[in-house]
Amino acid sequence: MNMSNTASIHEEPVAMTASAAPLLDVKGLRVAYGKVEALTGVDLQVREGQIVTVIGPNGAGKTTLLSAIMGLLPSRGDIHFDDIHYISPEVEILVGRGLGLVPEKRELFSTMTVEDNLLLGAFQRYRRGDDSFEITLAEIYSLFPRLWERRHQQAGTLSGGERQMLAIGRAMMGKPKLLMLDEPSLGLAPLITREIFRIFADLRRQGVAILLVEQNARAALKVADYAYVLEGGQFAMHGPAADLANDSRVIDAYLGLASKHQELLSS
Amino acid sequence: MKSRYLPVIALLLLVLAPLVLPTFQITLLNYIGLYTLVVLGLVLLTGVGGMTSFGQAAFVGLGAYTSAYLTTTAQLPEWLQWAAGSPWLALLIGLVLTAVVALLLGAMTLRLSGHYLPLGTIAWGISLYYVFGTLTSLGGHTGVSGLPSVELFGIVLDKGEKMFYLIWAILVVAIVITRNLLNSREGRAIRALKGGQLMAEAMGVNTFRSKLVIFLISALFASLSGWLYAHTQRFVNPTPFGLSMGIDYLFMALIGGVATVWGALLGAGILTMLKQWLQDLLPILFGSDGQYETIVFGLLIVLMMQKAPGGLFPMLSSLVPARFRQRKEISINSNAESLPRRELPKSGQLILEACEVTRRFGGLVANNNMSLQVHAGEIVALIGPNGAGKSTMFNQLSAVDTPSDGEVKFLGQSLKGKTSREVASMGMSRTFQHVKLLPTMSVLENVAIGAHLRGNKGVLSSALHMEREEEQRLLKEAAYQLERVGLGEYLHEEAGSLALGQQRILEIARALCSDPCLLLLDEPAAGLRYLEKQALGDLLRKLRSEGMAILLVEHDMDFVMGLVDRIVVMEFGEKIAEGLPVEIQTNPRVLEAYLGGAE
Amino acid sequence: MNLQIALLLGQDGITNGAIYALLALSILLVFTVTRILLIPLGEFVTFGALTMATIQSGKPVLFVWLLLALTLVDAALDIRQQVGQRFDMARLRMTAIKIGYAVLMVVIANTVPLADIPMAFQALLTLCLLVPLGPLMYRLFFQPLADAHSLVLLIVSIAVHVAMVGVGLLLFGPEGARTLPFSDTGLHLGPVMLKSQTIWVILVSVLLIVTLFVTFERTLYGKALRATAVNRVGARLLGISPVFAGKATFALAALIGVSSGILIAPITTLYFDSGFIISLKGFVGAIIGGLISYPVAAVGAVAVGLIEAFSMFWASTYKEIIVFTLIIPFLLWRSMTSHHVEDDE
């Protein structure tokens, strides 16, 4: 389904704080693998305390987008994060400034204990001489009691859901201002997915902004404030999440089953 | 200047060189020729095949010492008496001995991955060097002197100027052979070794055999160079066969350009001249004698790796204006005979069957009790949310992985214990979720790899280009399949320059090239635009009507619903539904799987 | 062979084996964290031994000029990197400190009568001079290649080794050297007399291994290095920079290499080019450990030392052949147990 020439829904997202500048402001971002362009110029904004989601089919470039923002991939275009402007960003500096990424593959330290994994999440704070990470650790244990129970276990022995909790907890140990998550529901049972999505809402209440990339579009649209639809390396449309969730084009495009589902429910 | 005159001029210069140049320059040229021969083997091994060897100098030593021993020892052991005295006989024995040693070492080390191979070459490189230096019958560290000159057609090659012709003639032949080999069916298999082994195996290439072939060739080139060296110098000692020379050979290859045949010549030339110059200059600069050129060489290599990892030859050839650059397109003879085709099973016949397949990874159950069937003339889709275990299932079906329980049958035969190579020869062909092609090779050659099993001419006929007829038939088939999938205008482009969607289509053409009866497609529509998807759908429908069985793993619902005959739905490693597209679209469990989550 | 000789050979074997074990451990450390097989580790050993010998002989320590030169190149690269960006005061201060340190070393090496100071200070000075060479080597030669294929890193590693051998010849000359033993007394243990240097080697090796162990198990910096080895991407995402990890491991490897050199200098005559064979024996140990397991590598390296000592007795001319052929069965075993087809990405 080609939607790139349809008009995008334009509405200013609701700003949660008084500050006018968005926390993350991406302009004209391009990424190429060799001669093949994976992202062909995308603009995206995330404001403080906002949950923004990027949905789209496999291969649309969602993971590439997050990797480029994080500075893991060479990219062209402008990225502003928390008043720093970077063209070729260094991951270490961004992490220090409060950007966190929970990647699709989790990237845990499988042969190290759960607690070591979490502690390493605060490496930058430790380096700066900030000792308050012990408090954050306690907060994370109270948020994920399962991780407390298994704190001396090797990360490689955890179940899928526990791994995802650990990956999120580890990223939160760095006290991020913006937490980016790549497919957090991947391979998780619905019950656990629900729990994890509830935590996102909690985090937003604490003032953490979230950029969420999801295949599970229905769930993502439900929790998010604002949404972008990524198709073939560019945004096909964007707007408040609630609007997109009811937009017939979004439903037709790739919630094809969802429309059938709704028909089924309404019949 | 027309580029086809270049070889003629070069040959003419070679013939005239000894008549005009002073002896010292000829000696240098002899060394360059001898080194190039070894480096040529390294280009094949490291640049093309992706295997790093520091041990080539040992093979040079093997060739040199065999001849030295056989031609100078007064009292050879009884069983070797027949081989005494003749350099030519010694050459033959040296090559055989080298082949045996190379096959042994290759069999031991070539299966090793990553770092073990280069470390292994260092180990046997050093060991052989110490053998040369310790065996008293080889003269120990003082070496062997008084080797006879080589005699050819009654001419005694007793001077550097005369050996020059032999060395360079052999080198020219070696270069021609190497280039021939690389432009052939075997050559494509060899070129796939670097970064495409998984794909090559799936197309029926025995990658281990290809590795062994180039390892053997590079060892033989080295041994030949050693023999020439021994009879040019007429004296051998262990020093030129040590590890540091082995490292120098690799440096030559890297400086010249490790992936190109001409890089070998360039690298050997530059390093030899540079060494000569530095050995004069540096001792004056530093005020004492010593091998200070190693400092320059070491830093030069570091700099090259940082700034120009491809070597000098690619850099130089990119300086040549485009219109002078030779752009050789592979010619395709449309009159070549078509390849024979496999008899396709009758429509409706059971082709592929998974019986209660379970795959466990440690405690994790990736596939649980999965059963499915694919018949001839039918398209079946395997769908499910991300992480449902589709890829694992795909691996079981294509014999990349073996089930923990249950079995997969293809054409009635169990796939248990079968390699992907064997399965390919039985008529199963596949594409990959993450496109696997050789980006610097042309589209046509990439697709021709698919036809690997439909040719049978070997390395020797490839090297001598005696397989041109079969080669034309293979290329014609590849071109035909590319036309068929709609990539007919890109035959000679680099595969890496295609858009992602086109690369996926290329993979289908490659799979079709093997003349399969079952096509396994892993997310063929991902990254395709609307019109491309339609074209792909049309192609698959056409294949179905010809009796092909097709199984595809896909995410794109629209694409699947309008195309396939049956759908199998997976979630959490299990089959949750199976049926016609219409049934699946309204199946409550499927809807739950796709839409569940944060409800 | 009688018991007396066997014990004597065993003692020699264990002394050398302890050194090989130290080297094997640092090879593993550098490899797992940075993917680099540190071939030039042997040059740290010879540079350590020969610098110590130079100091004791009262000759000028030429190495210090190399340190100054490399530090200046490093500083120039740092400053060039900052041109065009906002100048980061913290980084500039760091650059100034590094240059100051190198200048201080030049002053010490050229003014203090080094041959007359106590041996412990001589050893300390040798470490102070040579350990910075580790991070400098990473910065200049390997950091620009952080994302390169691991075989490219191996080639660069070999190239750096080749260059350093030449530098060694330039700085220390072609003559071999030995240093004074740390102490004279030996220890009688039953029928054998333990040589004092043997005791030193074993003590210092054990101390270094324990220190390493504690660093990696107990401190967050050590854990950060381990984390990099386990999952490079994961570590980067937490802000553990590969540059930090690379410099830190190279500094540790330099520390271990130079210490080994100082330890064996009184027992063995070392030449500018002796390092390669020594580090290769460490590699044999590391390969026996599968390039993963620290304990197996350490045991393997000690075994290499023992085999070397005993083959010295039985077949001294074939000593090196025996040691290097030893890894072939292990490689064979690896190739039997790993059957997967691998794509190098």
Side-chain angles (χ1 to χ4, degrees), chain A residues 113-180:
Chain A
T113 64
V114 168
E115 182 146 306
D116 281 349
N117 268 273
L118 288 172
L119 283 173
L120 284 166
F123 179 73
Q124 284 266 350
R125 292 169 70 191
Y126 176 81
R127 244 191 136 172
R128 281 199 303 266
D130 169 2
D131 330 322
S132 64
F133 64 87
E134 298 279 357
I135 302 166
T136 319
L137 185 64
E139 283 170 13
I140 285 166
Y141 279 143
S142 68
L143 196 61
F144 302 107
R146 288 292 278 280
L147 295 183
W148 166 256
E149 286 163 28
R150 308 198 171 223
R151 64 190 183 281
H152 297 309
Q153 223 167 296
Q154 287 200 344
T157 64
L158 299 184
S159 73
E162 288 163 349
R163 275 178 213 211
Q164 185 60 286
M165 290 175 197
L166 180 55
I168 295 173
R170 190 179 69 174
M172 283 166 58
M173 282 295 288
K175 275 218 163 169
K177 293 183 188 128
L178 171 61
L179 185 60
M180 304 194 289

Side-chain angles (χ1 to χ4, degrees), chain C residues 4-26:
Chain C
Q4 189 79 27
I5 295 176
L7 285 172
L8 213 61
L9 289 175
Q11 193 183 142
D12 277 356
I14 289 185
T15 315
N16 286 341
I19 296 294
Y20 300 152
L22 278 179
L23 299 181
L25 293 184
S26 37

Side-chain angles (χ1 to χ4, degrees), chain B residues 114-409:
Chain B
H115 289 94
Y116 287 116
L117 176 64
L119 287 177
T121 63
I122 290 179
W124 51 252
I126 291 191
S127 295
L128 276 175
Y129 166 74
Y130 280 118
V131 169
F132 298 141
T134 344
L135 286 182
T136 43
S137 54
L138 298 182
H141 281 280
T142 45
V144 183
S145 53
L147 271 72
S149 295
V150 178
E151 217 174 299
L152 185 64
F153 304 126
I155 307 167
V156 181
L157 306 178
D158 53 354
K159 286 213 183 82
E161 292 87 345
K162 294 179 182 167
M163 273 310 274
F164 173 89
Y165 288 111
L166 184 63
I167 291 171
W168 283 84
I170 288 180
L171 180 61
V172 168
V173 172
I175 289 178
V176 170
I177 282 180
T178 308
R179 285 172 59 100
N180 280 353
L181 178 63
L182 287 177
N183 289 315
S184 71
R185 167 177 166 273
E186 290 282 356
R188 284 187 292 271
I190 291 167
R191 283 147 79 192
L193 288 176
K194 204 174 178 180
Q197 291 187 32
L198 207 71
M199 175 276 288
E201 284 278 330
M203 297 301 134
V205 175
N206 185 341
T207 51
F208 180 67
R209 182 178 160 276
S210 293
K211 285 183 186 176
L212 209 52
V213 163
I214 53 175
F215 189 64
L216 190 62
I217 294 176
S218 68
L220 291 179
F221 280 177
S223 177
L224 189 58
S225 167
W227 176 80
L228 286 167
Y229 170 85
H231 290 281
T232 309
Q233 292 280 327
R234 299 169 60 191
F235 159 76
V236 290
N237 71 346
T239 318
F241 314 123
L243 189 67
S244 64
M245 197 58 215
I247 293 173
D248 277 359
Y249 284 128
L250 192 68
F251 282 2
M252 289 178 195
L254 292 168
I255 285 179
V258 75
T260 56
V261 169
W262 297 116
L265 187 59
L266 188 67
I270 289 179
L271 217 70
T272 311
M273 306 298 256
L274 195 62
K275 193 171 198 164
Q276 200 60 45
W277 182 64
L278 288 174
Q279 275 176 347
D280 291 341
L281 178 77
L282 293 181
I284 303 171
L285 213 60
F286 291 142
S288 63
D289 277 339
Q291 295 186 310
Y292 298 122
E293 73 275 5
T294 59
I295 305 176
V296 179
F297 286 174
L299 294 179
L300 191 64
I301 290 291
V302 174
L303 203 68
M304 291 279 308
M305 291 289 111
Q306 289 185 359
K307 305 291 178 199
L312 287 178
F313 188 77
M315 259 169 80
L316 287 182
S317 58
S318 71
L319 289 180
V320 178
R323 66 200 158 96
F324 290 119
R325 241 179 286 163
Q326 217 173 347
R327 256 201 62 164
K328 231 172 84 184
E329 285 186 358
I330 299 168
S331 61
I332 301 159
N333 180 2
S334 52
N335 297 325
E337 218 177 308
S338 294
L339 290 168
R341 292 205 56 189
R342 179 195 311 271
E343 198 167 316
L344 284 179
K346 285 206 177 54
S347 190
Q349 189 184 326
L350 180 63
I351 301 285
L352 182 73
E353 185 179 21
C355 311
E356 298 173 353
V357 167
T358 298
R359 180 68 172 109
R360 281 180 287 267
F361 296 104
L364 185 83
V365 184
N367 289 147
N368 191 13
N369 219 6
M370 280 291 301
S371 296
L372 61 85
Q373 295 184 334
V374 186
H375 302 87
E378 173 185 54
I379 305 181
V380 178
L382 182 62
I383 68 167
N386 265 358
K390 300 186 300 285
S391 294
T392 311
M393 189 65 202
F394 196 90
N395 285 341
Q396 313 300 313
L397 295 175
S398 52
V400 168
D401 196 7
T402 317
S404 319
D405 282 314
E407 64 171 355
V408 179
K409 283 190 197 160

Side-chain angles (χ1 to χ4, degrees), chain C residues 119-135:
Chain C
M119 198 184 289
F121 286 106
Q122 291 175 341
L124 186 67
L125 181 68
T126 306
L127 286 171
C128 288
L129 280 170
L130 285 164
V131 173
L133 186 59

Side-chain angles (χ1 to χ4, degrees), chain B residues 549-563:
Chain B
I550 300 171
L551 176 86
L552 47 92
V553 168
E554 196 40 84
H555 263 280
D556 190 322
M557 286 307 141
D558 271 356
F559 179 70
V560 168
M561 290 303 170
L563 173 71

Side-chain angles (χ1 to χ4, degrees), chain A residues 68-146:
Chain A
I69 295 174
M70 196 68 204
L72 292 171
L73 282 176
S75 60
R76 285 178 298 148
D78 280 354
I79 306 177
H80 286 264
F81 172 71
D82 191 31
D83 294 335
I84 50 173
H85 174 206
Y86 54 90
I87 302 162
S88 54
E90 279 177 52
V91 185
E92 298 73 37
I93 294 174
L94 293 174
V95 173
R97 292 298 287 262
L99 188 62
L101 171 65
V102 179
E104 188 183 336
K105 291 182 190 155
R106 324 300 200 230
E107 311 287 5
L108 298 174
F109 309 120
S110 53
T111 56
M112 300 173 77
T113 64
V114 168
E115 182 146 306
D116 281 349
N117 268 273
L118 288 172
L119 283 173
L120 284 166
F123 179 73
Q124 284 266 350
R125 292 169 70 191
Y126 176 81
R127 244 191 136 172
R128 281 199 303 266
D130 169 2
D131 330 322
S132 64
F133 64 87
E134 298 279 357
I135 302 166
T136 319
L137 185 64
E139 283 170 13
I140 285 166
Y141 279 143
S142 68
L143 196 61
F144 302 107
R146 288 292 278 280

